[in-house]
Amino acid sequence: MLRLPFFTYLQPRTLAEALAMKADAGPDGAYVAGGTDLYPNMKRRHQEPRTVVSLMAIPELAGSGKREAGSVLGTGLTLTKVASDPWMREHYSAIARAAELVSTPLLRNMGTLGGNLCLDTRCNYYNQSYEWRKAIDFCMKKDGAICWVAPSSPRCWAVSSSDVAPVMVAIGAEYRLVGPGGERMVPAGRFYANDGIDYLTKQPDEILLEVRLPAPNGWDAVYHKLRRRGSFDFPVLGVAAWVQWDGGRVADARIVLGGVASWPQEVPEAGAALRGTRLENDAVAACAEAAYRPSKPMDNTDFDLSWRKQMTRVWVRRAVEELSQRATTVARFT
Ligand SMILES: Cc1cc2nc3c(=O)[nH]c(=O)nc-3n(C[C@H](O)[C@H](O)[C@H](O)COP(=O)(O)OP(=O)(O)OC[C@H]3O[C@@H](n4cnc5c(N)ncnc54)[C@H](O)[C@@H]3O)c2cc1C
Ligand code: SF4
């Protein structure tokens, strides 16, 4: 049985306390929210903090609100709350759907939005016990020097495996960060980096406080997920598709892939293929083809990588077709 190492657990009641505790702990400190990713990682010695600072008693992370310019979600909201909130289901159904597709009900009851958006990248050579990793002399992401997926590569290719992050990038959400130096807003797309080790652009002491969602004014988005077991698994491919409607035509569009790179990967050519169209069949096919080309899954998650690449075309097509059907339904019944 894997056991947690000994560590000091702190539960600050305010943001200022949390920042001070993390600063005191230095590089040996880590924030925790629901702990559904950090604690398993600590058991496998991926992360070895001596001090763990909980964010769960800080009121600013727990709330949500509706504003004229959109909605605000506290990052301490559990995935269950995000997925079941009637407002979210009506106006931000892609986010609710992505949250609903994460893991199992028990983990969604504990796991938070913030933890999901800051989720560690994953790899078959990394998400293993300490002894397993030691037997292969570890790898570059933790304790070792080589990448077993691409041995001549200078970088780590561990995979972004968050279900909700691709949706946030696709819809153009913004993240509010608070750190020792003050506050800043970052577009979701700039919060992530295509590097399996340094996969977030945030500073280690910064807290992801809230997510600002654009007002639901004529855009629509969907999320589709490919995985082996529908009840449980991480995505091996996620597709977030967003369109801004102008009358019956697409004024703007974004396609973002999860599970194929170290960050949620936007494919600008795929979005461009939809602009100015009514999502006719040939536009959908051109979009799917454009998304397929740069989709380059590596051999470090479930399923055969060439099949996963092929599935990009199919999953993107299905996602955009769903957007098209939803537009038809809305037009027919309003
Ligand atoms: C069996 C299993 C299956 C899973 N399946 C999926 C899946 O299908 N899809 C998926 O997306 N995830 C999956 N997960 C991962 C995880 O459960 C979820 O992503 C969950 O939302 C993580 O949230 P958390 O609050 O538990 O994060 P934590 O474990 O508390 O934190 C995760 C990371 O984020 C940091 N962090 C958390 N909150 C903040 C914040 N507000 N500011 C700054 N840093 C922060 C922590 O320091 C840590 O590094 C799975 C996990 C398990 C164990
Ligand atoms: S991609 Fe390479 S360096 Fe990164 S976790 Fe996997 S084996 Fe390790």
Side-chain angles (χ1 to χ4, degrees):
M1 195 219 289
L2 298 179
R3 290 183 185 281
L4 277 171
F6 286 100
F7 62 93
T8 302
Y9 177 81
L10 301 175
Q11 190 158 58
R13 305 273 158 189
T14 64
L15 267 179
E17 264 180 30
L19 292 170
M21 287 172 177
K22 179 73 172 62
D24 284 350
D28 284 336
Y31 293 122
V32 70
T36 63
D37 195 59
L38 183 72
Y39 291 142
N41 281 2
M42 287 171 66
K43 288 181 181 177
R44 295 182 296 241
R45 308 303 189 260
H46 294 145
Q47 280 102 50
E48 301 179 279
R50 288 168 184 271
T51 304
V52 172
V53 181
S54 170
L55 301 173
M56 294 306 273
I58 300 174
E60 287 94 327
L61 272 70
S64 63
K66 302 164 189 63
R67 309 206 177 141
E68 223 170 85
S71 292
V72 177
L73 299 178
T75 51
L77 291 171
T78 64
L79 295 171
T80 299
K81 281 197 180 139
V82 173
S84 58
D85 182 298
W87 172 263
M88 291 299 296
R89 291 182 81 87
E90 183 178 351
H91 297 285
Y92 299 98
S93 59
I95 298 174
R97 179 70 182 142
E100 190 173 47
L101 288 171
V102 172
S103 181
T104 65
L106 289 178
L107 287 162
R108 291 195 294 274
N109 287 344
M110 280 304 294
T112 64
L113 177 63
N116 192 266
L117 299 178
C118 295
L119 190 65
D120 194 6
T121 52
R122 297 180 63 81
C123 171
N124 286 344
Y125 295 90
Y126 171 72
N127 293 97
Q128 305 287 352
S129 68
Y130 181 84
E131 288 70 25
W132 192 104
R133 292 189 294 116
K134 189 177 175 194
I136 59 162
D137 199 20
F138 304 102
C139 78
M140 194 191 286
K141 185 158 160 75
K142 183 69 174 36
D143 301 323
I146 193 170
C147 172
W148 293 108
V149 174
S152 57
S153 168
R155 59 159 283 198
C156 163
W157 297 85
V159 178
S160 169
S161 303
S162 160
D163 279 303
V164 186
V167 181
M168 294 301 186
V169 175
I171 69 171
E174 291 191 302
Y175 296 172
R176 184 175 164 208
L177 300 171
V178 182
E183 285 192 25
R184 63 191 178 109
M185 294 298 299
V186 182
R190 291 226 299 273
F191 185 71
Y192 301 99
N194 194 12
D195 184 299
I197 295 171
D198 292 318
Y199 49 91
L200 299 182
T201 58
K202 91 173 183 64
Q203 297 302 310
D205 280 1
E206 283 183 311
I207 295 172
L208 175 55
L209 185 61
E210 63 185 27
V211 178
R212 294 190 186 167
L213 308 175
N217 57 356
W219 58 264
D220 198 7
V222 295
Y223 178 70
H224 285 222
K225 172 175 181 172
L226 173 65
R227 56 179 161 175
R228 187 179 290 269
R229 295 168 296 184
S231 58
F232 187 68
D233 284 327
F234 281 90
V236 293
L237 171 66
V239 174
W242 169 90
V243 287
Q244 175 73 57
W245 290 106
D246 181 8
R249 285 192 186 274
V250 173
D252 201 1
R254 276 192 287 271
I255 303 292
V256 180
L257 306 177
V260 295
S262 299
W263 62 350
Q265 181 182 348
E266 185 185 350
V267 186
E269 303 81 6
L274 300 178
R275 266 176 229 131
T277 74
R278 296 178 185 274
L279 301 188
E280 300 88 346
N281 290 344
D282 55 346
V284 176
C287 169
E289 193 59 32
Y292 162 81
R293 270 183 246 117
S295 169
K296 292 201 170 63
M298 304 290 280
D299 196 10
N300 57 355
T301 67
D302 198 5
F303 290 127
D304 174 76
L305 70 108
S306 58
W307 183 77
R308 283 164 54 211
K309 180 172 170 65
Q310 298 285 336
M311 283 302 105
T312 309
R313 195 190 272 127
V314 179
W315 249 242
V316 169
R317 179 173 52 72
R318 287 183 188 172
V320 180
E321 280 173 356
E322 189 191 348
L323 285 171
S324 172
Q325 280 155 15
R326 284 158 66 122
T328 314
T329 311
V330 170
R332 192 178 301 143
F333 294 111
T334 52

